[in-house]
Amino acid sequence: MAWPAPTCWRMQLTKARRLERISCLCPSWIKCLYAHQVPSPEAGRSARVTVAVVDTFVWQALASVAIPGFTINRVCAASLYVLGTATRWPLAVRKWTTTALGLLTIPIIIHPIDRSVDFLLDSSLRKLYPSVGKPSSS
């Protein structure tokens, strides 16, 4: 059985997924390069770079891709449902209105999501990081 020829929307979806992955990896790579440039003893250098890369990648994955994508998807689904039950607008108008509402939610959700992800990482993952470069208390 042969695979169907890729349609335009499938190709666009694949490109969008690649861009999402790249948008998470680029800040992590930049953070890695900056961490390598900071002069420090070689003993803690690789641990510091690893912590910077992992922290940046997890933060970007949550705050830039996963949580905003889910939130905007649910806002659009809810608005499409409400517009479908409350109005008699044609489907095309409801879809464009839903898209506009989804885009308008982006500036509203940015700061709460960023603060929430910072709090989540501060109270979970960042507690596990080694204390590289801190002087010992003894």
Side-chain angles (χ1 to χ4, degrees):
M1 179 163 116
W3 289 95
T7 58
C8 186
W9 67 269
R10 283 186 190 156
M11 291 170 55
Q12 293 299 325
L13 187 60
T14 304
K15 287 179 185 176
R17 286 186 182 146
R18 278 191 217 136
L19 286 175
E20 283 179 355
R21 289 185 197 121
I22 290 171
S23 71
C24 284
L25 292 175
C26 284
S28 299
W29 181 249
I30 291 169
K31 192 80 153 200
C32 176
L33 293 176
Y34 283 138
H36 267 299
Q37 291 176 355
V38 176
S40 68
E42 284 298 318
R45 186 181 190 105
S46 63
R48 192 183 72 248
V49 170
T50 303
V51 165
V53 169
V54 168
D55 187 64
T56 305
F57 180 75
V58 170
W59 194 92
Q60 287 291 326
L62 289 174
S64 297
V65 179
I67 297 173
F70 176 78
T71 305
I72 293 169
N73 177 277
R74 294 295 86 204
V75 166
C76 289
S79 65
L80 186 61
Y81 175 76
V82 168
L83 287 173
T85 57
T87 66
R88 293 187 173 265
W89 293 350
L91 181 61
V93 174
R94 286 184 300 196
K95 285 186 175 182
W96 279 104
T97 304
T98 298
T99 302
L101 287 172
L103 291 172
L104 288 172
T105 58
I106 293 172
I108 297 168
I109 66 173
I110 289 173
H111 296 295
I113 288 176
D114 288 352
R115 279 183 264 140
S116 300
V117 170
D118 279 334
F119 177 76
L120 176 72
L121 291 180
D122 285 342
S123 61
S124 62
L125 186 64
R126 289 179 181 155
K127 288 184 177 181
L128 303 175
Y129 295 154
S131 57
V132 177
K134 292 184 180 177
S136 63
S137 59
S138 56

